[in-house]
Amino acid sequence: MYYGNDIHFNTFLSAMRKGKNVTLERLAWGLCSISMLGRIESGERLPDKMMRDRLMDRLGIVNDGFEDFLPPAEYALWKERQDLLQAIENKDLDTADKLIRQYEMNGVSNNAIEHQFYLAMKIQLMQYQNDPEEELREVLKQAISLTIPESSMDRWNGRLLAVQEWNLLLEYIRCGGDVGTAREKGRNTAGKLPAYEKILEAIQKSSMDTYSCAKIYPKAVYYLCLEWMSLPASDWDCRRMYDLAEKALEMLRSISRMYYLCEVLEIMERVLSVWIGRSDMTDEETRRLRPMMAQVQEWRRVLSEVFEGSKVSEKMESCGYLYQQMQNYRIGDVVRKRRKMLGLSAKALCQGICSEKTLRRLENNRNGTHMEIVGELLGRLGLAAEYQRKRIITDRYEAMVLYSKAAYVINNRDMETLDKILPELRSMLSMDILDNRQEMDCLETIYLWHCNQITNEESISRLQQVIEYTVPLKHVINMEEGFLSGGEISCLYNIAIRAKGAAESTYMSLLQKICNTLAEENGMMIYSKMYELIMYKIASYLGDVGEYTRSNKISNLIMETSLLLRRMNMLHMCVYNNLWNKRENIAKNTSADCKVSIKEDSMRDELQKCFQLAKLCKDIMYEDFYHKKLSQLFAQDN
């Protein structure tokens, strides 16, 4: 199989940096020398995973949907960091403390980014334990200095920092750290308020995309508004505070995330309450603000109910979400599972590439296999060895931007815009690269199906051909153990949601097996995006065949995972799935009087919850669907 253009990390990094008009100096500042970054981009030096990720984070390009195949040593270090992160997230303070102490006892690494991560986790542990602010400040100062040589706020504008670095600065400000002064309106100002304002300004001027910005901007707004609210209400700049909070809210709504969402809504409600109550407000101004207050209160109520039914706190309690990484795999595991799935002997896979002994070492996760050999093996197995940040492989920044836009409009069922994007995107990508051809043909099939230009059967046939660009479908359907790329799983999912009868059952069982394996081996949070989508379809399928308890269990698990990861796009669907199951179950097993009671007492409240959740994440299609259901109930009552 041919993968073409050798788009490795160095070429990808260089293309993204130049596409964002970022100089070598801005990107390298505090991380490495300009000459070192030049050698990285020329391919003379391959940095470790943490440096690769930090460089991409500074460019504001998120690790979302990217499959990272790691050598054994790098995977082991990544796994250690994930174990510590999990302990912090679970508030398992004893385990977290043990892992941090073990890291310190083994000798602090020369890797500044790794050291900064452990200090960030130590800071989180100290915050949980309510350690004194002066101690927190010292550790924060140490963590910041590892990658930010100059932390004075008058130097922030123009700086290119990752969200993790901005977060350390935010926490430093909050616990009283000295970040110097800033020039404001002809005078020097110091203190928390101007520092928060300055950090918001700097974040907006950085090169972060919306997904990256949404991880830190709402938190900065929340901290700023809390500081303002420590003053008498008469000193609040309500318009400024509300505008900032509303911007943070819209940012989160546009990407269906909940980073500091409940906190931002709380700020909006408190500000509106003070604003409406001011004596200098006109009746017209008050009338304009009251519907805004009602909407904010309704969203707060609905979110509180959803969180209340879970084990997750509605308030953000740690910075772990900034360090969470998806889809990292050991190369040896990938090669071994894929080879067995395809029914290839070691000899057949190795032929013309390496010795069987080399392959055995790789599959047993021993260090030492050259990446050129690994790349050839992956290519023969139908997997891309190239560096990618999405499901497409390209070194064109404009193609990455357009692909992100395509993903957004397809999620919003905007087929008119997608029709214009797809030909332009295809022209930018090399169709010699099988992953690109697979992704584009999958997107185009979905587009044609949504526009009723092909039938269900035709779309299934096309998707079956598309998946076979990289793997024979017969091996996938019959596999006991294997590895599938995100693009291949996406094809399977789109086949499953269109299949009927026995074929639907076959594909549903296959997808459930894949998801269960992923959850057992990697934890569902590592593959959460695809896991949520697939398992929701399985929950819906189980409800259709009358297995309501199993269906509810899966949708509740999806909601729990979504809340943990602060993703809100699946919440309304899961609530509706459980409501549908409840209605169908009662319809089959109870009297007519009880059915009426369910319609009056439960249906309306749960549908209203679904409607508000869909509205919150701007899912227009489902918002209209729930609105029609509510209208039908209202008509029945009258």
Side-chain angles (χ1 to χ4, degrees), residues 611-623:
F611 172 75
Q612 290 296 340
L613 289 170
K615 186 175 182 180
L616 185 59
C617 65
K618 296 190 174 183
D619 195 331
I620 298 170
M621 187 187 81
Y622 275 101
E623 187 182 338

PDB file of all heavy atoms in Angstrom, residues 611-623:
ATOM      1  N   PHE A 611     -34.718  19.483  25.245  1.00  0.00           N
ATOM      2  CA  PHE A 611     -34.777  20.696  24.415  1.00  0.00           C
ATOM      3  C   PHE A 611     -33.718  21.709  24.845  1.00  0.00           C
ATOM      4  O   PHE A 611     -32.982  22.255  24.018  1.00  0.00           O
ATOM      5  CB  PHE A 611     -36.182  21.310  24.516  1.00  0.00           C
ATOM      6  CG  PHE A 611     -36.305  22.660  23.858  1.00  0.00           C
ATOM      7  CD1 PHE A 611     -36.361  22.773  22.477  1.00  0.00           C
ATOM      8  CD2 PHE A 611     -36.349  23.814  24.622  1.00  0.00           C
ATOM      9  CE1 PHE A 611     -36.471  24.021  21.871  1.00  0.00           C
ATOM     10  CE2 PHE A 611     -36.454  25.059  24.040  1.00  0.00           C
ATOM     11  CZ  PHE A 611     -36.519  25.167  22.656  1.00  0.00           C
ATOM     12  N   GLN A 612     -33.610  21.944  26.155  1.00  0.00           N
ATOM     13  CA  GLN A 612     -32.652  22.929  26.658  1.00  0.00           C
ATOM     14  C   GLN A 612     -31.212  22.475  26.452  1.00  0.00           C
ATOM     15  O   GLN A 612     -30.328  23.278  26.129  1.00  0.00           O
ATOM     16  CB  GLN A 612     -32.917  23.209  28.136  1.00  0.00           C
ATOM     17  CG  GLN A 612     -34.209  23.969  28.417  1.00  0.00           C
ATOM     18  CD  GLN A 612     -34.207  25.379  27.819  1.00  0.00           C
ATOM     19  OE1 GLN A 612     -33.166  25.954  27.521  1.00  0.00           O
ATOM     20  NE2 GLN A 612     -35.397  25.935  27.649  1.00  0.00           N
ATOM     21  N   LEU A 613     -30.948  21.174  26.621  1.00  0.00           N
ATOM     22  CA  LEU A 613     -29.597  20.658  26.406  1.00  0.00           C
ATOM     23  C   LEU A 613     -29.197  20.755  24.936  1.00  0.00           C
ATOM     24  O   LEU A 613     -28.043  21.076  24.606  1.00  0.00           O
ATOM     25  CB  LEU A 613     -29.494  19.212  26.886  1.00  0.00           C
ATOM     26  CG  LEU A 613     -29.534  19.002  28.401  1.00  0.00           C
ATOM     27  CD1 LEU A 613     -29.673  17.517  28.731  1.00  0.00           C
ATOM     28  CD2 LEU A 613     -28.273  19.568  29.070  1.00  0.00           C
ATOM     29  N   ALA A 614     -30.150  20.464  24.039  1.00  0.00           N
ATOM     30  CA  ALA A 614     -29.869  20.586  22.603  1.00  0.00           C
ATOM     31  C   ALA A 614     -29.640  22.049  22.224  1.00  0.00           C
ATOM     32  O   ALA A 614     -28.751  22.366  21.427  1.00  0.00           O
ATOM     33  CB  ALA A 614     -31.027  19.999  21.797  1.00  0.00           C
ATOM     34  N   LYS A 615     -30.430  22.929  22.793  1.00  0.00           N
ATOM     35  CA  LYS A 615     -30.270  24.366  22.525  1.00  0.00           C
ATOM     36  C   LYS A 615     -28.923  24.867  23.030  1.00  0.00           C
ATOM     37  O   LYS A 615     -28.259  25.677  22.372  1.00  0.00           O
ATOM     38  CB  LYS A 615     -31.408  25.133  23.209  1.00  0.00           C
ATOM     39  CG  LYS A 615     -31.453  26.618  22.885  1.00  0.00           C
ATOM     40  CD  LYS A 615     -32.675  27.265  23.517  1.00  0.00           C
ATOM     41  CE  LYS A 615     -32.751  28.746  23.159  1.00  0.00           C
ATOM     42  NZ  LYS A 615     -33.963  29.380  23.774  1.00  0.00           N
ATOM     43  N   LEU A 616     -28.511  24.368  24.194  1.00  0.00           N
ATOM     44  CA  LEU A 616     -27.249  24.794  24.788  1.00  0.00           C
ATOM     45  C   LEU A 616     -26.067  24.447  23.888  1.00  0.00           C
ATOM     46  O   LEU A 616     -25.133  25.238  23.747  1.00  0.00           O
ATOM     47  CB  LEU A 616     -27.085  24.128  26.163  1.00  0.00           C
ATOM     48  CG  LEU A 616     -25.871  24.535  26.997  1.00  0.00           C
ATOM     49  CD1 LEU A 616     -25.858  26.025  27.280  1.00  0.00           C
ATOM     50  CD2 LEU A 616     -25.858  23.761  28.314  1.00  0.00           C
ATOM     51  N   CYS A 617     -26.097  23.266  23.265  1.00  0.00           N
ATOM     52  CA  CYS A 617     -24.975  22.884  22.391  1.00  0.00           C
ATOM     53  C   CYS A 617     -25.265  23.163  20.914  1.00  0.00           C
ATOM     54  O   CYS A 617     -24.568  22.650  20.030  1.00  0.00           O
ATOM     55  CB  CYS A 617     -24.583  21.426  22.604  1.00  0.00           C
ATOM     56  SG  CYS A 617     -25.823  20.221  22.149  1.00  0.00           S
ATOM     57  N   LYS A 618     -26.291  23.963  20.644  1.00  0.00           N
ATOM     58  CA  LYS A 618     -26.615  24.427  19.290  1.00  0.00           C
ATOM     59  C   LYS A 618     -26.868  23.279  18.314  1.00  0.00           C
ATOM     60  O   LYS A 618     -26.467  23.335  17.151  1.00  0.00           O
ATOM     61  CB  LYS A 618     -25.501  25.335  18.747  1.00  0.00           C
ATOM     62  CG  LYS A 618     -25.322  26.633  19.516  1.00  0.00           C
ATOM     63  CD  LYS A 618     -24.384  27.585  18.815  1.00  0.00           C
ATOM     64  CE  LYS A 618     -24.329  28.926  19.529  1.00  0.00           C
ATOM     65  NZ  LYS A 618     -23.483  29.910  18.827  1.00  0.00           N
ATOM     66  N   ASP A 619     -27.540  22.232  18.800  1.00  0.00           N
ATOM     67  CA  ASP A 619     -27.930  21.120  17.929  1.00  0.00           C
ATOM     68  C   ASP A 619     -29.316  21.432  17.392  1.00  0.00           C
ATOM     69  O   ASP A 619     -30.341  21.015  17.956  1.00  0.00           O
ATOM     70  CB  ASP A 619     -27.913  19.801  18.701  1.00  0.00           C
ATOM     71  CG  ASP A 619     -27.952  18.597  17.787  1.00  0.00           C
ATOM     72  OD1 ASP A 619     -28.520  18.718  16.698  1.00  0.00           O
ATOM     73  OD2 ASP A 619     -27.400  17.542  18.154  1.00  0.00           O
ATOM     74  N   ILE A 620     -29.345  22.177  16.297  1.00  0.00           N
ATOM     75  CA  ILE A 620     -30.601  22.757  15.793  1.00  0.00           C
ATOM     76  C   ILE A 620     -31.595  21.682  15.384  1.00  0.00           C
ATOM     77  O   ILE A 620     -32.802  21.801  15.641  1.00  0.00           O
ATOM     78  CB  ILE A 620     -30.303  23.709  14.613  1.00  0.00           C
ATOM     79  CG1 ILE A 620     -29.432  24.869  15.089  1.00  0.00           C
ATOM     80  CG2 ILE A 620     -31.597  24.234  14.006  1.00  0.00           C
ATOM     81  CD1 ILE A 620     -28.891  25.731  13.979  1.00  0.00           C
ATOM     82  N   MET A 621     -31.119  20.618  14.737  1.00  0.00           N
ATOM     83  CA  MET A 621     -32.029  19.577  14.277  1.00  0.00           C
ATOM     84  C   MET A 621     -32.775  18.946  15.450  1.00  0.00           C
ATOM     85  O   MET A 621     -33.998  18.796  15.425  1.00  0.00           O
ATOM     86  CB  MET A 621     -31.252  18.501  13.507  1.00  0.00           C
ATOM     87  CG  MET A 621     -32.170  17.474  12.849  1.00  0.00           C
ATOM     88  SD  MET A 621     -31.283  16.093  12.103  1.00  0.00           S
ATOM     89  CE  MET A 621     -30.965  15.069  13.542  1.00  0.00           C
ATOM     90  N   TYR A 622     -32.040  18.569  16.502  1.00  0.00           N
ATOM     91  CA  TYR A 622     -32.675  17.959  17.665  1.00  0.00           C
ATOM     92  C   TYR A 622     -33.498  18.977  18.455  1.00  0.00           C
ATOM     93  O   TYR A 622     -34.526  18.634  19.044  1.00  0.00           O
ATOM     94  CB  TYR A 622     -31.627  17.311  18.566  1.00  0.00           C
ATOM     95  CG  TYR A 622     -31.266  15.912  18.146  1.00  0.00           C
ATOM     96  CD1 TYR A 622     -30.103  15.660  17.434  1.00  0.00           C
ATOM     97  CD2 TYR A 622     -32.097  14.847  18.451  1.00  0.00           C
ATOM     98  CE1 TYR A 622     -29.764  14.366  17.045  1.00  0.00           C
ATOM     99  CE2 TYR A 622     -31.779  13.556  18.066  1.00  0.00           C
ATOM    100  CZ  TYR A 622     -30.612  13.319  17.357  1.00  0.00           C
ATOM    101  OH  TYR A 622     -30.292  12.048  16.979  1.00  0.00           O
ATOM    102  N   GLU A 623     -33.050  20.222  18.476  1.00  0.00           N
ATOM    103  CA  GLU A 623     -33.823  21.264  19.159  1.00  0.00           C
ATOM    104  C   GLU A 623     -35.212  21.364  18.535  1.00  0.00           C
ATOM    105  O   GLU A 623     -36.238  21.428  19.241  1.00  0.00           O
ATOM    106  CB  GLU A 623     -33.082  22.600  19.033  1.00  0.00           C
ATOM    107  CG  GLU A 623     -33.699  23.734  19.835  1.00  0.00           C
ATOM    108  CD  GLU A 623     -32.950  25.045  19.638  1.00  0.00           C
ATOM    109  OE1 GLU A 623     -31.762  25.016  19.247  1.00  0.00           O
ATOM    110  OE2 GLU A 623     -33.572  26.101  19.874  1.00  0.00           O
TER     111      GLU A 623
END
